[in-house]
Amino acid sequence: MRPRLLVIAGPSKDSTIPLPDGESTLGRDPTNAVSVPDASVSRKHCLLRREEDDRFQIKDLDSRNGTLVNGLAIKEQWLRHGDEIATGDSVFLFLLEDEEQAVPPSRVEFDDSQPMAETKLIHPREVLYLQPDRLLRELPAGSAVARNLNALLKISRVVHAIRDLEELQAQLLDLVFEVIPAGRGAILLSDGAGLEFNCLYARTRQAGQPQLVRVSRTIARQAMKDNVAILGVDVAASGALREVESLAASEVRSLLCVPLTVFQRVIGCIYLDSTNAINRFQEDHLQLVAAIAGISAVALDNARRLQWLEQENQRLTTEVRQEQSLVGEGARMKEIFQFLARVSPTESTVLIEGESGTGKELAARALHRNSHRANKPFVAINCAAIPESLLESDLFGHERGAFTGAAVQKKGRLEVADGGVVFLDEIGELAPALQVKLLRVLQEREFEHVGGTHTIKVDIRLIAATNRDLNEAVRTGQFRQDLYYRLAVVRLTMPPLRERREDIPMLTRHFVQKYAKRSKVKPKPVSREAMAALVNYEWPGNVRELENAIERALVMGSADMVRLEDLPESLLEQESPAEMHEGKYHASVKELKKQLIIDAVEQTRGNYVDAAGILGVHPNYLHRLIRNLGLKEALQEGLRGRNKFSA
């Protein structure tokens, strides 16, 4: 085992931190065993403890921003290989390795001296071992060619059976050492944009501690630029390299550099050197290594591409997780996190209730991400967005010819989600006929295609969400009572944003970072007045409305911070909190609006429809203005006074 933390986000991104035996603390303070230079991490943030059975446990040390494992806040939890740990702005992957570790690679250092005087060049078309017909004609009796062919066959079998890039490079150099009298070797790969190398791997013939492998940058670049294999027979006799102290100290006697070519594109080179004065590299060695390069180039290129794809997939997965994570640290959100931690490992059907925009789908994804179904599909279906005539086919699939336009058989969403989770959003909008069919799926985990007779069994977990009062819908006969009881095995109510105002600053910072990155702009701080307005607003659209407000402020704002005037008009119309000092312009505009509304309502003797006509706005908008500006009581008092005066 090699327990470690891979930093995938934060100030120490892309670094790897080994975990010692026993207990180790993680935090901002340098005295921690795992020190993280991140201001959002507490001085003593969390504790990592290795038990005698080699299991690891993580415990939050009452940190300021909490410790999250796979997006859920925890107090204490066992860790599994691949778990994601978030502490403030820093995110780690917890990794274990049970397999035996390979010998570590040596370090590469380039030498910029000019090429040696005595060299031999061959082009790919001249490589003997890549021309079987010519080879058979020229094969002398009792030569070493048979041994070399056997070595090439062995290398071909090995390199095309390994996917990991580092393991492939290690195996390839070990096999080269078996047939070439080289003391040191390196595989240098470029990104294809030039002659610079972005992937370096080196090994020495002697096992044990890695050593320095000095590579002539000039030779490597020449091999790649001209696409030729280069043999330097006698370094000591070369005037250009004889004076290089490092090569003289290493007693390098011969060099060999062969390009790696894939589809007429040079992707790197194999570099070898030898300190043996007797068994120096010969032309036969050059031919053999050139053939090895021809065999292994595609395998190396594929392994490097696979490594990049895996890293990119991990990066994108991390970004998606961060974007799809619930954000908050208030009491209500802590209750939500505790609920998700308890329910995620179970198979229970969950009904998530709450107003629109409160994060019901995010909660469903958190349940999926922290369950044993995490690597299986998460299929989301909005029951209100798909017409009833299409929803049945979309859910259950259909047979060919089941209805007009059904030209082929089609799998339904439930079938696609087999083994994973089905999330039915806006379940309260489901038609009565489909409610009956869904009830059978919940009871038996089976159904038939539309127009079919064959029963299909599925292994799914069902999570439903609604912004309606299903109890009331059951009472009025709009929703089946038996289906409701099947759905509401476990219920979760997502709190509206107005009931967790303490989370608004954290949510605001989260959305600023998210949309600054997406819009390719610099993140902006939020002014005190703007933050006060955000916290004071009622947020009828909840978190989704806040997210849209922040995106608008970042895109439309021209200052170096988010100011009050960058926020939507609905926020500016509300009554300012006592601690908020409003600018003269905004205060004057608000007072003018108030006076215009009061004059119009008084002029129409309390007829709000006529008042809206005078102002040129919709009556609903007028009512919203009156509510946001806190004018209801003032208008009622004014109308009462006017009536007394008239009497």
Side-chain angles (χ1 to χ4, degrees):
M1 290 180 64
R2 187 162 64 94
R4 63 204 186 279
L5 296 177
L6 175 63
V7 187
I8 57 178
S12 303
K13 183 179 178 182
D14 296 331
S15 63
T16 301
I17 305 172
L19 294 176
D21 293 336
E23 292 187 349
S24 55
T25 57
L26 182 151
R28 190 175 73 249
D29 197 296
T31 59
N32 289 285
V34 181
S35 179
V36 181
D38 185 345
S40 64
V41 175
S42 299
R43 292 185 180 277
K44 297 284 185 182
H45 199 102
C46 60
L47 174 72
L48 294 157
R49 180 169 59 245
R50 184 174 186 173
E51 302 293 343
E52 293 182 357
D53 57 358
D54 286 332
R55 292 195 302 164
F56 270 82
Q57 191 176 49
I58 185 169
K59 180 180 180 182
D60 183 68
L61 299 177
D62 296 324
S63 60
R64 183 177 70 254
N65 291 325
T67 301
L68 278 67
V69 176
N70 297 326
L72 294 182
I74 59 98
K75 282 297 182 184
E76 193 167 346
Q77 182 170 314
W78 292 105
L79 290 174
R80 299 172 299 178
H81 176 77
D83 277 350
E84 181 185 290
I85 303 170
T87 57
D89 294 333
S90 293
V91 182
F92 311 86
L93 276 184
F94 174 73
L95 300 176
L96 293 167
E97 281 189 6
D98 295 322
E99 64 271 15
E100 182 180 349
Q101 297 301 301
V103 177
S106 298
R107 188 164 57 88
V108 170
E109 180 181 288
F110 282 106
D111 188 316
D112 292 315
S113 302
Q114 293 300 311
M116 60 199 73
E118 186 178 352
T119 61
K120 181 171 181 60
L121 311 179
I122 63 171
H123 290 272
R125 61 180 179 274
E126 300 170 347
V127 178
L128 183 64
Y129 292 108
L130 295 182
Q131 303 175 61
D133 295 338
R134 177 186 168 193
L135 183 63
L136 290 175
R137 291 195 305 269
E138 300 184 9
L139 185 64
S143 72
V145 174
R147 176 179 60 84
N148 292 343
L149 286 174
N150 185 55
L152 289 175
L153 180 61
K154 181 179 179 181
I155 289 173
S156 178
R157 287 198 305 264
V158 169
V159 299
H160 292 98
I162 300 174
R163 298 174 61 187
D164 181 75
L165 179 60
E166 186 167 324
E167 181 185 356
L168 174 59
Q169 293 175 119
Q171 289 279 353
L172 182 57
L173 286 178
D174 285 343
L175 291 171
V176 167
F177 289 149
E178 290 181 7
V179 293
I180 303 296
R184 293 180 291 266
I187 297 176
L188 315 174
L189 301 178
S190 74
D191 59 5
L195 299 178
E196 296 300 325
F197 304 101
N198 64 344
C199 181
L200 312 174
Y201 188 92
R203 292 287 291 272
T204 60
R205 180 180 290 273
Q206 295 80 16
Q209 293 297 321
Q211 302 176 15
L212 177 67
V213 175
R214 179 152 292 172
V215 173
S216 170
R217 194 191 305 268
T218 306
I219 292 292
R221 284 179 173 175
Q222 182 184 348
M224 291 182 61
K225 180 182 178 182
D226 299 335
N227 192 18
V228 293
I230 300 174
L231 169 65
V233 178
D234 192 349
V235 172
S238 170
L241 297 180
R242 184 173 52 199
E243 303 302 325
V244 179
E245 294 182 4
S246 57
L247 291 180
S250 301
E251 299 181 350
V252 174
R253 298 305 178 101
S254 52
L255 289 172
L256 195 156
C257 186
V258 177
L260 294 161
T261 307
V262 177
F263 303 122
Q264 308 302 316
R265 179 173 57 90
V266 180
I267 65 166
C269 62
I270 299 176
Y271 186 97
L272 304 170
D273 70 23
S274 172
T275 59
N276 193 315
I278 299 175
N279 296 325
R280 296 176 180 173
F281 297 153
Q282 304 298 328
E283 183 175 351
D284 182 62
H285 297 138
L286 183 65
Q287 289 278 354
L288 181 56
V289 177
I292 292 172
I295 290 173
S296 59
V298 172
L300 287 166
D301 192 42
N302 289 341
R304 181 176 59 170
R305 290 175 181 273
L306 179 62
Q307 182 187 69
W308 181 86
L309 286 172
E310 289 174 343
Q311 292 173 346
E312 184 70 3
N313 180 61
Q314 182 62 60
R315 184 186 68 80
L316 293 174
T317 300
T318 302
E319 285 188 4
V320 170
R321 282 183 176 181
Q322 290 174 344
E323 287 197 2
Q324 295 182 347
S325 295
L326 293 165
V327 177
E329 58 184 2
R332 295 295 300 274
M333 287 308 297
K334 286 181 179 178
E335 292 175 3
I336 298 295
F337 291 141
Q338 291 169 2
F339 174 93
L340 295 174
R342 289 196 304 270
V343 177
S344 292
T346 71
E347 288 295 299
S348 299
T349 300
V350 182
L351 176 62
I352 305 174
E353 300 173 310
E355 297 177 10
S356 179
T358 52
K360 296 187 290 295
E361 183 171 346
L362 294 182
R365 290 186 181 276
L367 286 168
H368 169 249
R369 191 166 57 242
N370 292 279
S371 71
H372 72 276
R373 298 176 183 267
N375 294 324
K376 299 295 183 179
F378 178 91
V379 178
I381 305 166
N382 191 319
C383 300
I386 304 175
E388 181 183 342
S389 58
L390 300 178
L391 184 57
E392 182 178 9
S393 172
D394 195 55
L395 274 174
F396 303 107
H398 62 252
E399 294 293 326
R400 180 181 178 182
F403 49 84
T404 303
V408 295
Q409 185 191 66
K410 175 192 171 185
K411 286 185 177 182
R413 300 281 193 97
L414 297 177
E415 201 172 348
V416 170
D418 189 27
V421 170
V422 173
F423 174 61
L424 294 176
D425 200 6
E426 305 297 350
I427 189 71
E429 308 301 322
L430 200 63
L434 292 180
Q435 292 180 27
V436 177
K437 289 196 170 187
L438 182 60
L439 180 62
R440 183 188 172 199
V441 174
L442 285 169
Q443 291 174 332
E444 308 296 339
R445 293 299 195 267
E446 64 182 31
F447 58 91
E448 290 88 30
H449 284 166
V450 175
T453 57
H454 175 66
T455 299
I456 300 169
K457 289 188 173 290
V458 289
D459 172 26
I460 58 173
R461 182 182 188 182
L462 197 138
I463 302 173
T466 181
N467 60 5
R468 294 181 59 187
D469 185 350
L470 290 189
N471 269 317
E472 178 64 19
V474 168
R475 191 184 66 80
T476 58
Q478 295 177 312
F479 201 82
R480 292 182 62 95
Q481 187 178 45
D482 48 3
L483 177 58
Y484 173 71
Y485 290 142
R486 284 284 182 180
L487 290 171
V489 175
V490 180
R491 293 172 58 188
L492 169 65
T493 301
M494 298 299 294
L497 188 55
R498 61 183 173 275
E499 293 181 7
R500 56 183 190 104
R501 297 180 187 275
E502 66 274 17
D503 291 332
I504 290 177
M506 176 181 282
L507 284 163
T508 299
R509 291 192 294 269
H510 171 74
F511 292 136
V512 165
Q513 293 291 333
K514 173 181 176 179
Y515 286 102
K517 183 176 182 180
R518 183 173 296 181
S519 304
K520 295 181 173 56
V521 298
K522 185 178 179 181
K524 299 178 182 179
V526 180
S527 69
R528 187 175 62 86
E529 294 79 13
M531 185 63 77
L534 292 171
V535 173
N536 189 57
Y537 185 55
E538 287 298 307
W539 296 111
N542 293 295
V543 180
R544 187 180 294 119
E545 185 183 2
L546 171 62
E547 182 175 5
N548 293 338
I550 297 304
E551 181 180 10
R552 175 189 182 278
L554 281 176
V555 173
M556 301 300 294
S558 57
D560 56 356
M561 67 167 51
V562 176
R563 301 185 182 276
L564 196 60
E565 56 265 29
D566 299 327
L567 301 178
E569 187 178 356
S570 57
L571 274 75
L572 304 181
E573 293 166 354
Q574 68 190 344
E575 275 296 297
S576 304
E579 68 276 9
M580 174 179 162
H581 176 69
E582 199 169 27
K584 183 177 179 180
Y585 169 77
H586 296 291
S588 300
V589 170
K590 189 179 295 182
E591 288 303 318
L592 179 59
K593 285 183 178 181
K594 287 181 178 181
Q595 193 58 50
L596 288 171
I597 293 170
I598 291 172
D599 291 345
V601 172
E602 288 183 351
Q603 183 180 340
T604 59
R605 298 179 180 274
N607 189 319
Y608 289 97
V609 175
D610 291 344
I614 292 173
L615 294 170
V617 299
H618 193 278
N620 290 344
Y621 182 61
L622 176 59
H623 283 290
R624 196 192 81 180
L625 286 172
I626 292 171
R627 183 177 64 252
N628 289 342
L629 294 170
L631 288 175
K632 188 174 182 180
E633 292 184 4
L635 289 172
Q636 290 175 347
E637 184 66 28
L639 290 172
R640 282 197 295 268
R642 185 183 182 93
N643 291 336
K644 286 181 181 180
F645 180 78
S646 299

PDB file of all heavy atoms in Angstrom, residues 7 18 84 89 98 120 125 164 205 207 244 296 320 376 383 385 398 433 465 492 540 629 640-641:
ATOM      1  N   VAL A   7      -3.467  16.256  -4.827  1.00  0.00           N
ATOM      2  CA  VAL A   7      -4.133  17.556  -4.760  1.00  0.00           C
ATOM      3  C   VAL A   7      -4.651  17.890  -6.159  1.00  0.00           C
ATOM      4  O   VAL A   7      -3.879  18.067  -7.095  1.00  0.00           O
ATOM      5  CB  VAL A   7      -3.181  18.659  -4.260  1.00  0.00           C
ATOM      6  CG1 VAL A   7      -3.953  19.950  -4.031  1.00  0.00           C
ATOM      7  CG2 VAL A   7      -2.484  18.228  -2.977  1.00  0.00           C
ATOM      8  N   PRO A  18       2.373  12.119   0.509  1.00  0.00           N
ATOM      9  CA  PRO A  18       2.313  10.782   1.114  1.00  0.00           C
ATOM     10  C   PRO A  18       1.782  10.864   2.538  1.00  0.00           C
ATOM     11  O   PRO A  18       2.027  11.837   3.256  1.00  0.00           O
ATOM     12  CB  PRO A  18       3.769  10.317   1.074  1.00  0.00           C
ATOM     13  CG  PRO A  18       4.573  11.581   1.031  1.00  0.00           C
ATOM     14  CD  PRO A  18       3.747  12.592   0.306  1.00  0.00           C
ATOM     15  N   GLU A  84     -13.012  11.575  -2.720  1.00  0.00           N
ATOM     16  CA  GLU A  84     -12.645  12.983  -2.891  1.00  0.00           C
ATOM     17  C   GLU A  84     -12.845  13.719  -1.575  1.00  0.00           C
ATOM     18  O   GLU A  84     -13.930  13.684  -0.996  1.00  0.00           O
ATOM     19  CB  GLU A  84     -13.502  13.615  -3.978  1.00  0.00           C
ATOM     20  CG  GLU A  84     -13.178  15.075  -4.245  1.00  0.00           C
ATOM     21  CD  GLU A  84     -14.136  15.690  -5.248  1.00  0.00           C
ATOM     22  OE1 GLU A  84     -14.062  15.328  -6.427  1.00  0.00           O
ATOM     23  OE2 GLU A  84     -14.968  16.519  -4.828  1.00  0.00           O
ATOM     24  N   ASP A  89     -10.895  25.541  -0.127  1.00  0.00           N
ATOM     25  CA  ASP A  89     -10.696  25.583  -1.574  1.00  0.00           C
ATOM     26  C   ASP A  89      -9.811  24.449  -2.071  1.00  0.00           C
ATOM     27  O   ASP A  89      -9.607  24.304  -3.276  1.00  0.00           O
ATOM     28  CB  ASP A  89     -10.059  26.921  -1.986  1.00  0.00           C
ATOM     29  CG  ASP A  89     -10.996  28.101  -1.741  1.00  0.00           C
ATOM     30  OD1 ASP A  89     -12.222  27.883  -1.763  1.00  0.00           O
ATOM     31  OD2 ASP A  89     -10.500  29.216  -1.503  1.00  0.00           O
ATOM     32  N   ASP A  98      -2.024  -1.219  -3.876  1.00  0.00           N
ATOM     33  CA  ASP A  98      -1.713  -2.507  -3.270  1.00  0.00           C
ATOM     34  C   ASP A  98      -0.616  -3.250  -4.023  1.00  0.00           C
ATOM     35  O   ASP A  98       0.032  -4.131  -3.471  1.00  0.00           O
ATOM     36  CB  ASP A  98      -2.973  -3.389  -3.231  1.00  0.00           C
ATOM     37  CG  ASP A  98      -4.037  -2.787  -2.328  1.00  0.00           C
ATOM     38  OD1 ASP A  98      -3.668  -2.242  -1.288  1.00  0.00           O
ATOM     39  OD2 ASP A  98      -5.214  -2.878  -2.690  1.00  0.00           O
ATOM     40  N   LYS A 120      26.749   8.353 -37.541  1.00  0.00           N
ATOM     41  CA  LYS A 120      26.200   7.637 -38.685  1.00  0.00           C
ATOM     42  C   LYS A 120      24.695   7.845 -38.651  1.00  0.00           C
ATOM     43  O   LYS A 120      24.071   7.741 -37.589  1.00  0.00           O
ATOM     44  CB  LYS A 120      26.533   6.150 -38.633  1.00  0.00           C
ATOM     45  CG  LYS A 120      25.976   5.378 -39.838  1.00  0.00           C
ATOM     46  CD  LYS A 120      26.491   3.965 -39.898  1.00  0.00           C
ATOM     47  CE  LYS A 120      25.932   3.226 -41.115  1.00  0.00           C
ATOM     48  NZ  LYS A 120      26.315   3.884 -42.392  1.00  0.00           N
ATOM     49  N   ARG A 125      13.413   4.151 -43.881  1.00  0.00           N
ATOM     50  CA  ARG A 125      13.337   3.203 -44.996  1.00  0.00           C
ATOM     51  C   ARG A 125      14.566   2.306 -45.078  1.00  0.00           C
ATOM     52  O   ARG A 125      14.565   1.310 -45.814  1.00  0.00           O
ATOM     53  CB  ARG A 125      13.161   3.961 -46.304  1.00  0.00           C
ATOM     54  CG  ARG A 125      14.298   4.901 -46.637  1.00  0.00           C
ATOM     55  CD  ARG A 125      14.055   5.618 -47.971  1.00  0.00           C
ATOM     56  NE  ARG A 125      15.119   6.554 -48.298  1.00  0.00           N
ATOM     57  CZ  ARG A 125      15.164   7.804 -47.874  1.00  0.00           C
ATOM     58  NH1 ARG A 125      14.188   8.275 -47.116  1.00  0.00           N
ATOM     59  NH2 ARG A 125      16.169   8.604 -48.211  1.00  0.00           N
ATOM     60  N   ASP A 164      -0.502   1.401 -19.173  1.00  0.00           N
ATOM     61  CA  ASP A 164       0.038   2.473 -18.349  1.00  0.00           C
ATOM     62  C   ASP A 164       1.338   2.991 -18.956  1.00  0.00           C
ATOM     63  O   ASP A 164       2.257   2.210 -19.257  1.00  0.00           O
ATOM     64  CB  ASP A 164       0.286   1.972 -16.926  1.00  0.00           C
ATOM     65  CG  ASP A 164       0.838   3.062 -16.030  1.00  0.00           C
ATOM     66  OD1 ASP A 164       0.062   3.951 -15.631  1.00  0.00           O
ATOM     67  OD2 ASP A 164       2.052   3.021 -15.743  1.00  0.00           O
ATOM     68  N   ARG A 205      20.732   0.675 -16.116  1.00  0.00           N
ATOM     69  CA  ARG A 205      20.787  -0.791 -16.143  1.00  0.00           C
ATOM     70  C   ARG A 205      20.808  -1.358 -14.731  1.00  0.00           C
ATOM     71  O   ARG A 205      20.201  -2.395 -14.456  1.00  0.00           O
ATOM     72  CB  ARG A 205      22.027  -1.249 -16.927  1.00  0.00           C
ATOM     73  CG  ARG A 205      22.175  -2.762 -17.016  1.00  0.00           C
ATOM     74  CD  ARG A 205      23.422  -3.124 -17.801  1.00  0.00           C
ATOM     75  NE  ARG A 205      23.275  -2.818 -19.210  1.00  0.00           N
ATOM     76  CZ  ARG A 205      22.743  -3.647 -20.100  1.00  0.00           C
ATOM     77  NH1 ARG A 205      22.275  -4.823 -19.722  1.00  0.00           N
ATOM     78  NH2 ARG A 205      22.670  -3.311 -21.370  1.00  0.00           N
ATOM     79  N   ALA A 207      19.711  -1.843 -11.054  1.00  0.00           N
ATOM     80  CA  ALA A 207      18.510  -1.615 -10.254  1.00  0.00           C
ATOM     81  C   ALA A 207      18.893  -0.910  -8.965  1.00  0.00           C
ATOM     82  O   ALA A 207      20.044  -0.932  -8.529  1.00  0.00           O
ATOM     83  CB  ALA A 207      17.819  -2.946  -9.953  1.00  0.00           C
ATOM     84  N   VAL A 244      33.370  18.462 -22.459  1.00  0.00           N
ATOM     85  CA  VAL A 244      32.241  18.576 -21.535  1.00  0.00           C
ATOM     86  C   VAL A 244      32.572  17.805 -20.265  1.00  0.00           C
ATOM     87  O   VAL A 244      32.752  16.587 -20.290  1.00  0.00           O
ATOM     88  CB  VAL A 244      30.945  18.032 -22.167  1.00  0.00           C
ATOM     89  CG1 VAL A 244      29.783  18.130 -21.182  1.00  0.00           C
ATOM     90  CG2 VAL A 244      30.632  18.814 -23.445  1.00  0.00           C
ATOM     91  N   SER A 296       7.378   0.167 -31.152  1.00  0.00           N
ATOM     92  CA  SER A 296       6.817   0.680 -29.891  1.00  0.00           C
ATOM     93  C   SER A 296       6.237   2.082 -29.990  1.00  0.00           C
ATOM     94  O   SER A 296       5.564   2.533 -29.058  1.00  0.00           O
ATOM     95  CB  SER A 296       7.898   0.663 -28.802  1.00  0.00           C
ATOM     96  OG  SER A 296       9.009   1.457 -29.191  1.00  0.00           O
ATOM     97  N   VAL A 320     -17.289  18.974 -12.513  1.00  0.00           N
ATOM     98  CA  VAL A 320     -18.730  18.710 -12.460  1.00  0.00           C
ATOM     99  C   VAL A 320     -19.178  18.510 -11.027  1.00  0.00           C
ATOM    100  O   VAL A 320     -20.229  18.999 -10.596  1.00  0.00           O
ATOM    101  CB  VAL A 320     -19.081  17.476 -13.328  1.00  0.00           C
ATOM    102  CG1 VAL A 320     -20.516  17.038 -13.086  1.00  0.00           C
ATOM    103  CG2 VAL A 320     -18.874  17.795 -14.798  1.00  0.00           C
ATOM    104  N   LYS A 376     -22.648   3.788 -11.792  1.00  0.00           N
ATOM    105  CA  LYS A 376     -23.714   3.419 -12.717  1.00  0.00           C
ATOM    106  C   LYS A 376     -24.454   4.681 -13.169  1.00  0.00           C
ATOM    107  O   LYS A 376     -24.244   5.759 -12.630  1.00  0.00           O
ATOM    108  CB  LYS A 376     -24.679   2.440 -12.036  1.00  0.00           C
ATOM    109  CG  LYS A 376     -24.013   1.137 -11.609  1.00  0.00           C
ATOM    110  CD  LYS A 376     -23.536   0.330 -12.808  1.00  0.00           C
ATOM    111  CE  LYS A 376     -22.953  -0.996 -12.372  1.00  0.00           C
ATOM    112  NZ  LYS A 376     -22.503  -1.817 -13.522  1.00  0.00           N
ATOM    113  N   CYS A 383     -40.737  15.278 -15.543  1.00  0.00           N
ATOM    114  CA  CYS A 383     -42.076  14.823 -15.910  1.00  0.00           C
ATOM    115  C   CYS A 383     -42.942  15.950 -16.452  1.00  0.00           C
ATOM    116  O   CYS A 383     -43.936  15.697 -17.143  1.00  0.00           O
ATOM    117  CB  CYS A 383     -42.758  14.183 -14.700  1.00  0.00           C
ATOM    118  SG  CYS A 383     -41.871  12.752 -14.044  1.00  0.00           S
ATOM    119  N   ALA A 385     -41.701  18.515 -18.356  1.00  0.00           N
ATOM    120  CA  ALA A 385     -41.148  19.069 -19.599  1.00  0.00           C
ATOM    121  C   ALA A 385     -41.461  18.218 -20.820  1.00  0.00           C
ATOM    122  O   ALA A 385     -41.334  18.689 -21.950  1.00  0.00           O
ATOM    123  CB  ALA A 385     -39.638  19.230 -19.463  1.00  0.00           C
ATOM    124  N   HIS A 398     -40.323   1.477 -26.444  1.00  0.00           N
ATOM    125  CA  HIS A 398     -41.399   0.968 -27.287  1.00  0.00           C
ATOM    126  C   HIS A 398     -40.869  -0.065 -28.271  1.00  0.00           C
ATOM    127  O   HIS A 398     -39.671  -0.125 -28.572  1.00  0.00           O
ATOM    128  CB  HIS A 398     -42.094   2.107 -28.043  1.00  0.00           C
ATOM    129  CG  HIS A 398     -41.186   2.853 -28.978  1.00  0.00           C
ATOM    130  ND1 HIS A 398     -40.741   4.130 -28.721  1.00  0.00           N
ATOM    131  CD2 HIS A 398     -40.631   2.507 -30.175  1.00  0.00           C
ATOM    132  CE1 HIS A 398     -39.969   4.543 -29.706  1.00  0.00           C
ATOM    133  NE2 HIS A 398     -39.881   3.571 -30.600  1.00  0.00           N
ATOM    134  N   ALA A 433     -52.564   7.859 -15.724  1.00  0.00           N
ATOM    135  CA  ALA A 433     -52.290   6.568 -16.364  1.00  0.00           C
ATOM    136  C   ALA A 433     -50.852   6.129 -16.133  1.00  0.00           C
ATOM    137  O   ALA A 433     -50.567   4.937 -15.923  1.00  0.00           O
ATOM    138  CB  ALA A 433     -52.584   6.664 -17.864  1.00  0.00           C
ATOM    139  N   ALA A 465     -38.799  14.077  -7.040  1.00  0.00           N
ATOM    140  CA  ALA A 465     -38.795  15.435  -6.499  1.00  0.00           C
ATOM    141  C   ALA A 465     -40.050  16.161  -6.948  1.00  0.00           C
ATOM    142  O   ALA A 465     -40.595  15.890  -8.023  1.00  0.00           O
ATOM    143  CB  ALA A 465     -37.546  16.196  -6.961  1.00  0.00           C
ATOM    144  N   LEU A 492     -37.323  14.207   2.172  1.00  0.00           N
ATOM    145  CA  LEU A 492     -36.370  15.280   2.447  1.00  0.00           C
ATOM    146  C   LEU A 492     -36.971  16.583   1.937  1.00  0.00           C
ATOM    147  O   LEU A 492     -37.414  16.655   0.787  1.00  0.00           O
ATOM    148  CB  LEU A 492     -35.037  15.014   1.742  1.00  0.00           C
ATOM    149  CG  LEU A 492     -34.011  16.153   1.716  1.00  0.00           C
ATOM    150  CD1 LEU A 492     -33.540  16.462   3.135  1.00  0.00           C
ATOM    151  CD2 LEU A 492     -32.834  15.808   0.825  1.00  0.00           C
ATOM    152  N   PRO A 540     -37.636  34.735  -4.207  1.00  0.00           N
ATOM    153  CA  PRO A 540     -38.715  33.805  -4.575  1.00  0.00           C
ATOM    154  C   PRO A 540     -38.245  32.682  -5.491  1.00  0.00           C
ATOM    155  O   PRO A 540     -38.836  31.606  -5.518  1.00  0.00           O
ATOM    156  CB  PRO A 540     -39.735  34.712  -5.286  1.00  0.00           C
ATOM    157  CG  PRO A 540     -38.955  35.918  -5.721  1.00  0.00           C
ATOM    158  CD  PRO A 540     -37.901  36.113  -4.681  1.00  0.00           C
ATOM    159  N   LEU A 629     -41.083  47.754  -2.231  1.00  0.00           N
ATOM    160  CA  LEU A 629     -40.768  49.074  -1.685  1.00  0.00           C
ATOM    161  C   LEU A 629     -41.407  49.318  -0.321  1.00  0.00           C
ATOM    162  O   LEU A 629     -41.212  50.386   0.271  1.00  0.00           O
ATOM    163  CB  LEU A 629     -41.219  50.159  -2.670  1.00  0.00           C
ATOM    164  CG  LEU A 629     -40.466  50.189  -4.017  1.00  0.00           C
ATOM    165  CD1 LEU A 629     -41.159  51.139  -4.981  1.00  0.00           C
ATOM    166  CD2 LEU A 629     -39.019  50.593  -3.816  1.00  0.00           C
ATOM    167  N   ARG A 640     -57.141  55.886   3.740  1.00  0.00           N
ATOM    168  CA  ARG A 640     -58.057  56.078   4.866  1.00  0.00           C
ATOM    169  C   ARG A 640     -58.173  57.560   5.200  1.00  0.00           C
ATOM    170  O   ARG A 640     -59.255  58.097   5.448  1.00  0.00           O
ATOM    171  CB  ARG A 640     -57.582  55.285   6.080  1.00  0.00           C
ATOM    172  CG  ARG A 640     -57.898  53.790   6.009  1.00  0.00           C
ATOM    173  CD  ARG A 640     -57.778  53.148   7.385  1.00  0.00           C
ATOM    174  NE  ARG A 640     -56.407  53.201   7.871  1.00  0.00           N
ATOM    175  CZ  ARG A 640     -55.518  52.251   7.677  1.00  0.00           C
ATOM    176  NH1 ARG A 640     -55.861  51.157   6.993  1.00  0.00           N
ATOM    177  NH2 ARG A 640     -54.307  52.361   8.160  1.00  0.00           N
ATOM    178  N   GLY A 641     -57.035  58.252   5.195  1.00  0.00           N
ATOM    179  CA  GLY A 641     -57.050  59.688   5.485  1.00  0.00           C
ATOM    180  C   GLY A 641     -57.812  60.472   4.431  1.00  0.00           C
ATOM    181  O   GLY A 641     -58.552  61.411   4.741  1.00  0.00           O
TER     182      GLY A 641
END
